[in-house]
Structures are given as C-alpha cells and as structure tokens.
Amino acid sequence: MREEITRLYRGIIAGAHPVLRRVTVQDWSGGEHLPEGGFVIASNHISNVDHFPLGHFLVDHGRAPHFLAKSSLFKPPGVKQIMQGTGQIPVFRGTTRASDSLAAATAALRDGACVCVYPEGTITRERDFWPMTGKSGAARLALETGCPLVPMAIWGTHEILEPYSGRYVPSLRPPRTVSVRVGAPLDLDDLRGQPLTQAVLREATDRLMSRITALLEEIRGEKAPEHRFDPRTDVPARGKSKKGKA
C-alpha cells in the first residue's frame, strides 16, 4: 500500500518546487532504491535547510515525506495547520508524551507513508560534517513494523546555511550544488523477529550509520575518520559543549 498525497501537500509542492529548482543544482542518485509501500528513510544532518532538498528529492520520486519534527514547530498559527495538514509528526522531547511520536510514525508507516528520520538527533557537531553516532529510533521503527530502512546521504546544504555560525539568512546566489544519494534498503533480516534489546537496536543503528557514512564518502570522494564522533563523550567542534564551550 502506498499513501495518497493530500491536496494541501500538492499545493505546497507546486509552490516550492520552482523555487528550489532555481536556488539549487540537483546532484541526485539512487531514487530506484525507494520502496513502493511504507518505509523509513534515514539521512545525515548538516544544516537547518536539509529538509527542503530531502523533501524535494522524495517528492520528485512520487513520495510525500513525513518528518519527525520538534513539537514547537506545531504551535505558530498557520504553520501548525500546514504541519498537521501535511502529516508531519511532532516530537515531544523530555515529556510524558515522548513516545507519541513513535506511535504516530508507526501508524503512518502501516498506512504506506515515507517517514524521514535524522538518526543523529541533531545537526552534526563533527568538525568536517561527517555523521555522528546515531540514536535507535529509526532502527526501532523499521524492526517493529517490518518496513524497509533506507539510508540517505546529503551534501552541500551547509554552504547554503552553515550550522552553528550565528547566520540565519541562507546564501542562495549563486545556486549551490546539493547532492542527495540513496542506498538500497538495509539488510536487517537477521535481526527481525528478535526481541528489541539494546544490543539489537545498537547493531541495527551501527549498520545504518556505517551505510550513511559510506554514501557520503562516495559523494565527497574521501574517507571519513575511523572514529565516529560521539557527542556524549567527544568535545564538540561545532555548537556548544555541556560546559558552554565551543
């Protein structure tokens, strides 16, 4: 089963599509790996504008992306109606409703939707924009529902809006090349049907982050560091540490 794109979603797409075509140069590959029914797609995260080219890529391949987004984005009038009307999924971090987002994402997947997750949980703080260690949400969704888990890598959006720079206005001229590459669904057959222990979820998540990193290596034409940055233990090169230092 594959979900239908709503009329509101189609209207937003019609308005945004020509703008995105003008301000970015698309270097896209791997669309043939997108499944027909419900699936989880997981990408690295390097800029606050990542959602737009990722959504552009998916829409151009006939899918309506449903992002897990901070609940605060659902509060402003107008924005709230758009977020709800296009089926975006609020994440209530640090509250008693924290599990609601997983329940909503699970329901969407079973209805044939494409659910988008940034498994790092935030924009990377690695010095050279390589992926960090991942959280287990994407793997949990895929294993609980039996849906495919599809890796994706993005590159170039940090040149439109660099994270942690204090700049809030995107640089749109000249158009920046944005690369999006999708890989084949992750092989999780040996983990499906097992109890979702921390060890199983960590194994699935490690496979996912390794595949995302490999896709990004292909785009960039260089190797990632052997040590994957862990924001829990490593000193952030971008943003602030727990002590407030950059």
Side-chain angles (χ1 to χ4, degrees):
M1 179 174 61
R2 181 171 175 166
E3 70 162 342
E4 292 292 328
I5 301 178
T6 65
R7 180 178 298 179
L8 173 62
Y9 216 141
R10 289 189 183 279
I12 293 171
I13 291 166
H17 194 273
V19 176
L20 292 170
R21 284 282 183 190
R22 285 197 297 270
V23 300
T24 62
V25 177
Q26 294 80 43
D27 172 30
W28 293 349
S29 61
E32 69 276 8
H33 295 306
L34 298 178
E36 272 297 307
F39 65 97
V40 180
I41 190 159
S43 173
N44 62 315
H45 198 7
I46 59 174
S47 172
N48 279 320
V49 299
D50 287 343
H51 329 300
F52 298 102
L54 294 186
H56 188 188
F57 177 93
L58 290 164
V59 165
D60 265 23
H61 288 84
R63 301 310 302 258
H66 298 271
F67 287 93
L68 272 71
K70 292 186 294 185
S71 58
S72 58
L73 295 175
F74 290 75
K75 294 180 179 179
V79 176
K80 175 182 178 180
Q81 284 72 23
I82 291 173
M83 297 291 281
Q84 291 178 337
T86 56
Q88 307 311 308
I89 301 168
V91 177
F92 302 91
R93 292 177 179 171
T95 73
T96 56
R97 299 184 62 190
S99 62
D100 288 1
S101 58
L102 288 178
T106 297
L109 289 168
R110 287 176 173 155
D111 285 340
C114 162
V115 172
C116 305
V117 180
Y118 296 115
E120 295 162 275
T122 188
I123 294 172
T124 183
R125 292 183 175 176
E126 202 276 337
R127 184 177 305 278
D128 295 314
F129 297 99
W130 291 105
M132 304 187 294
T133 54
K135 299 181 184 298
S136 62
R140 179 181 291 276
L141 282 171
L143 290 172
E144 282 188 345
T145 62
C147 288
L149 177 56
V150 180
M152 171 188 274
I154 187 169
W155 185 245
T157 49
H158 60 299
E159 295 182 350
I160 298 174
L161 189 61
E162 183 177 350
Y164 309 119
S165 65
R167 184 165 60 88
Y168 300 99
V169 178
S171 176
L172 302 177
R173 286 285 181 256
R176 301 302 200 274
T177 297
V178 175
S179 300
V180 176
R181 184 164 297 186
V182 173
L186 217 61
D187 183 2
L188 299 176
D189 287 349
D190 60 319
L191 302 179
R192 296 192 189 277
Q194 293 191 35
L196 293 184
T197 63
Q198 288 301 313
V200 167
L201 291 171
R202 176 47 49 199
E203 172 61 26
T205 302
D206 286 346
R207 291 183 196 178
L208 173 63
M209 298 313 300
S210 293
R211 188 64 190 118
I212 292 172
T213 301
L215 290 169
L216 188 58
E217 288 177 333
E218 292 174 10
I219 293 173
R220 295 175 58 170
E222 55 185 321
K223 294 293 290 182
E226 289 189 12
H227 170 70
R228 184 171 295 131
F229 186 90
D230 188 335
R232 297 168 299 181
T233 56
D234 296 330
V235 177
R238 301 181 180 279
K240 292 183 178 181
S241 68
K242 292 181 181 178
K243 296 181 180 180
K245 296 181 181 179

